[in-house]
């Protein structure tokens, strides 16, 4: 593509198209991400570190933190196992219904989180399909922690599979077949051949899954009941505190969510350096 250029003072032509595109990108990111994020930190700390720490010691805040971490701790490993199994099956096997299964994995991308929460209520709620059975066994799913786990797993389900499948398709089955020919069993082939090849796709899927699990609002809001101190995760806590005009508390929780995201990115960088697979 020909770039629009004009002569500079030393006679060299200046390409304006890259400069304009970079300026637009930076301005867009500033309006959508940087300025709002900076404003959250400013609002949280504008009265000093003391009020911020006091907000983070509220009982409801601490419960929200524990619930958010628990949701991620359960949903991320389970979705990772499912994503790996689904990716291996879809990439290495040809079977009837393969396209349908691939579409079903993408379903959480297409469905509104609120609708996903409503689906769970219609299944596991008191008047849902499994409601009478759950009541008979004294098991509560909706408006309780198990329902929040199900909702979190639903919305964060496709990320690992969707990141690993293209990597498996790209590397092909040749190395695995060679390992099998040399006498490696299925586990040895996966651990020593497949996993090293897909680790960065898997890691990226893990990061996305964890970020979605910790930040999910819509589906968890529908199935949790949003009871402060009981079924209120951090995103729900932020929304509730803001509605109650406790803006400093809301911003403090938002800062913690942002820091959790930063920690996730730092862990990714550390792992990249340790395994020497970074782009350097």
């Amino acid at each position: 593509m020909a770039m629009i250029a004009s002569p500079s003072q030393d006679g060299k032509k200046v390409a304006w198209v890259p400069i304009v595109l970079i300026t637009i990108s930076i301005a867009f990111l500033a309006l959508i991400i940087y300025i709002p994020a900076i404003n959250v930190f400013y609002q949280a700390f504008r009265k000093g570190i003391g009020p911020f720490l006091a907000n983070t010691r509220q009982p409801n805040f601490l419960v929200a933190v524990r619930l958010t971490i628990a949701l991620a701790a359960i949903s991320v490993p389970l979705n990772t196992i499912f994503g790996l199994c689904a990716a291996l099956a879809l990439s290495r096997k040809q079977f009837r219904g393969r396209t349908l299964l691939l579409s079903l994995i993408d379903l959480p991308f297409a469905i509104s989180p609120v609708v996903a929460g409503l689906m769970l209520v219609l299944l596991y709620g008191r008047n849902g399909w499994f409601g009478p059975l759950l009541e008979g066994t004294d098991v509560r799913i909706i408006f309780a922690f198990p329902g929040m786990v199900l909702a979190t797993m639903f919305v964060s389900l496709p990320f690992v599979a969707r990141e690993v499948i293209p990597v498996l398709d790209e590397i092909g089955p040749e190395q695995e077949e060679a390992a099998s020919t040399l006498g490696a069993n299925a586990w040895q082939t996966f651990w020593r051949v497949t996993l090293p090849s897909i680790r960065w796709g898997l890691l990226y899927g893990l990061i996305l899954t964890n970020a979605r699990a910790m930040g999910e609002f819509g589906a968890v809001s529908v199935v949790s009941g949003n009871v402060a101190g009981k079924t209120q995760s951090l995103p729900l806590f932020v929304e509730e505190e803001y509605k109650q005009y406790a803006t400093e508390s809301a911003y403090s929780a938002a800062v913690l969510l942002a820091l959790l995201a930063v920690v996730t990115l730092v862990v990714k960088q550390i792992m990249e350096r340790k395994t020497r697979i970074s782009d350097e």
Side-chain angles (χ1 to χ4, degrees):
M1 182 180 69
M3 294 185 179
I4 300 173
S6 62
S8 61
Q9 291 181 350
D10 57 1
K12 294 182 179 178
K13 291 185 177 180
V14 177
W16 288 103
V17 171
I19 296 174
V20 171
L21 292 178
I22 291 171
T23 304
I24 291 173
S25 300
I26 292 175
F28 187 81
L29 288 173
L31 287 173
I32 301 299
I33 298 177
Y34 299 147
I35 294 176
I38 291 171
N39 184 49
V40 167
F41 279 82
Y42 169 74
Q43 295 292 343
F45 292 102
R46 67 191 177 98
K47 292 185 178 179
I49 189 71
F52 172 81
L53 293 176
N55 289 326
T56 60
R57 287 195 288 267
Q58 295 180 46
N60 290 344
F61 179 91
L62 296 175
V63 171
V65 172
R66 284 197 294 269
L67 272 178
T68 303
I69 293 174
L71 289 172
I74 295 173
S75 60
V76 171
L78 292 178
N79 276 342
T80 301
I81 295 171
F82 166 79
L84 278 174
C85 294
L88 288 169
L90 289 167
S91 182
R92 294 292 183 260
K93 305 293 181 184
Q94 296 294 326
F95 54 91
R96 182 177 291 182
R98 180 179 179 275
T99 305
L100 176 62
L101 179 58
L102 197 58
S103 301
L104 289 176
I105 289 176
D106 288 340
L107 204 58
F109 285 143
I111 292 181
S112 162
V114 174
V115 176
L118 184 60
M119 289 163 52
L120 293 175
V121 172
L122 293 175
L123 275 180
Y124 302 105
R126 178 174 296 178
N127 298 318
W129 288 6
F130 304 130
L133 175 64
L134 293 172
E135 271 199 20
T137 54
D138 199 23
V139 175
R140 189 171 185 180
I141 303 291
I142 301 303
F143 304 140
F145 184 70
M148 299 171 71
V149 172
L150 288 176
T152 305
M153 288 180 61
F154 181 90
V155 298
S156 60
L157 180 144
F159 292 104
V160 170
R162 266 305 172 187
E163 293 300 325
V164 173
I165 288 173
V167 181
L168 285 171
D169 289 342
E170 184 179 352
I171 62 177
E174 290 79 10
Q175 295 180 25
E176 297 163 3
E177 290 172 355
S180 180
T181 303
L182 293 172
N185 58 35
W187 172 250
Q188 290 171 328
T189 302
F190 171 77
W191 187 254
R192 297 184 179 179
V193 178
T194 307
L195 188 58
S197 301
I198 65 172
R199 60 184 179 279
W200 294 114
L202 176 61
L203 177 60
Y204 195 58
L206 277 169
I207 290 171
L208 292 177
T209 304
N210 184 62
R212 186 61 191 271
M214 286 191 168
E216 174 54 26
F217 177 84
V220 173
S221 175
V222 173
V223 302
S224 70
N226 196 8
V227 180
K230 292 183 178 177
T231 59
Q232 196 174 64
S233 62
L234 265 180
L236 302 184
F237 179 85
V238 171
E239 192 251 1
E240 185 64 24
E241 291 296 288
Y242 191 79
K243 283 168 58 178
Q244 300 299 328
Y245 301 102
T247 53
E248 290 180 8
S249 179
Y251 283 123
S252 299
V255 164
L256 184 61
L257 277 173
L259 291 177
L260 289 173
V262 171
V263 168
T264 303
L265 293 176
V266 170
V267 170
K268 172 180 173 288
Q269 290 297 327
I270 292 173
M271 292 179 68
E272 281 183 350
R273 290 184 179 181
K274 283 190 173 181
T275 50
R276 300 178 180 177
I277 306 292
S278 63
D279 294 333
E280 296 178 359

